[in-house]
Amino acid sequence: MRIDLPASIAPSIAPLRGFIHRAHRVHPMISTCQTSTTARIVMPMTKAFAIGSSRFNFQAAKQRSRLLKAMRSWFDSHGYLEVDTPLLSPDLIPEPTIHTFATTFSHEFLGSREFYLVPSPEVFMKKLLAAGSGSIYQFSHCFRNNEQIGSHHNPEFTMLEYYTLDADEQDSMALTEELLAATAPKNCPDHLLPPFRKMSMAAACHAYAGIDLEKNQDVRDLRRAALRLGLSLPEEPESWEDTFNRIFLTFVEPSLPQDKPLVLDKYPIQIECLAAEDETGPWRKRWEMYAGGVELANCYDEMRDAQKIRAYYRKEYAKLSTERSQNGAVIPDADLSFADIFTKDFPRCSGVAMGMDRLLMLQTGITSLKGVILFPFPAMLGDG
Amino acid sequence: MIKAGQIEKGTALLIKGQPFVCIEREFVNPGKGSAFVRLKLKSPSTGQTLSETMKTQDNAEDIVVRDNDCQYLFNDGENFHFMLTETYEQIEVPMASFPDYQYIMKDGDTYRCTFWEEQILDIQIPSKVVFTVAEAEEAVKGDTVQGATKYVTTETGLKVRVPIFIKLGEKIRVNTETKEYLERVNN
């Protein structure tokens, strides 16, 4: 980076000289020089911005542009409204497993307030649904802090979120099949194309881990089942969800068929979220879609019961606050009045969140998100 | 003790009393759930692999290891034979623990080895190594198609796909992780 200053303020760089002299020892490229007309401070470019243009995958950028256009066209022709909601929010849904990027709004007269980068646009979009927006969709940048950075994770990522009125999660499944079929690139690998394979979570756990979820509703039973499978569990008690996830991640997820996109539905009721409960058993009306072994989309038949949403907020906020008070992580504000939007007029709807970077990665046959994000996080950290 | 989230490729752990080395590590957040780490671990003594899934906050028992320089002597088809450069003591390592290494390590070369007690847990191979081409197909005369490649075999028996101009006896630099040709090395 080079900063040229007009001669009129050139003397003002004099106080910087001591600092620059010290910095020069650390980084010999930092220097200053002064002429009669200009003063110049030259600093080394950071690694992130020193990237040569050859590092950018413009082919993937073109694919992204094509995919966004195709999806917008599909949604527009199906009567959805594209919305654009804030990335900075004064409050978030309490989700103990999702860490937050926090920043501060500061104003000379209005004081200051903590704001958060959204981990998803869900709160804002549901407020629009409550206000009568009709079916809506959005491509939103989302932020999740403290997540590891790897081939399938980037702390900032692009999410497609769409809500369909008068639909449940099964309708969303059919719509998502239609969306992916209509917007796939010409040479899209067959394993990413519909029809989807469908399997309930109970069937998957039975097939790949030999566990009957209905008979293991109690955490102690599930723990015994996990130990029988040879898993190492911590000595202190843990939640049903954590033990379930150990089983799922060790035995089920790696075994899921990959010849077609796979939808796992009827999620265990113990996994708290804002999906409606299923009347047929201890499940929630939620599905997750896997493609090429990668988790690609998450869908709920949206919970509309204000009392249950309030209870969820209280319970999860208490859990989040307790956990984060211990480790000093950001505790984002939660707005309990969010539940008030779920009146009898709140429309029945189903929402899907899909990871656009991951979809693009799979469609292009690239093995890492680094290949489809122009400025991936590792490069900005200076090690990618 | 370390947190499972701190485990990296090469971290040595004690699992049920046996030493294992992490050979693959993948972080996963299932459906907005807690952060987990999926590990593939390998026993250096038996070559047995093990899959473990841990919460990133779980405690894991890491073991204290030390690094020593060892000269690679030869392999007998079952074991690699090394000699500690400091003490001249000889050590055997099952080849099954390090598949592929027989095609990468050169007799007489010195490698940094990670020890736990008297056992070699890891052999550190440089990411780029220069090999000599020991066998090469002849380039077809007049074949000047850009990007044409052929296979050659190095003095260690490693098969590498190289540009067609590489000849017998020449030196090539290879990426030891991907086994890919990088460049020709001029003497």
Side-chain angles (χ1 to χ4, degrees), chain A residues 283-303:
Chain A
W283 325 115
R284 289 186 186 277
K285 300 181 89 171
R286 169 188 180 183
W287 55 256
E288 288 256 1
M289 181 177 72
Y290 285 82
V294 179
E295 204 181 288
L296 197 59
N298 182 25
C299 168
Y300 301 165
D301 181 346
E302 300 297 340
M303 188 187 278

Side-chain angles (χ1 to χ4, degrees), chain A residues 236-276:
Chain A
E236 59 274 14
E238 65 178 5
S239 67
W240 191 97
E241 179 184 350
D242 280 345
T243 305
F244 165 81
N245 274 328
R246 288 176 198 275
I247 295 167
F248 178 74
L249 291 170
T250 309
F251 301 102
V252 183
E253 198 191 73
S255 311
L256 295 173
Q258 293 186 21
D259 57 329
K260 280 286 171 191
L262 176 90
V263 167
L264 278 182
D265 71 351
K266 292 182 185 281
Y267 261 60
I269 199 163
Q270 293 87 343
I271 300 176
E272 298 281 358
C273 64
L274 294 175

Side-chain angles (χ1 to χ4, degrees), chain A residues 12-32:
Chain A
S12 61
I13 73 159
L16 284 172
R17 284 198 173 279
F19 158 76
I20 287 168
H21 178 71
R22 287 191 300 275
H24 181 81
R25 279 186 307 194
V26 176
H27 204 300
M29 283 175 65
I30 295 181
S31 61
T32 61

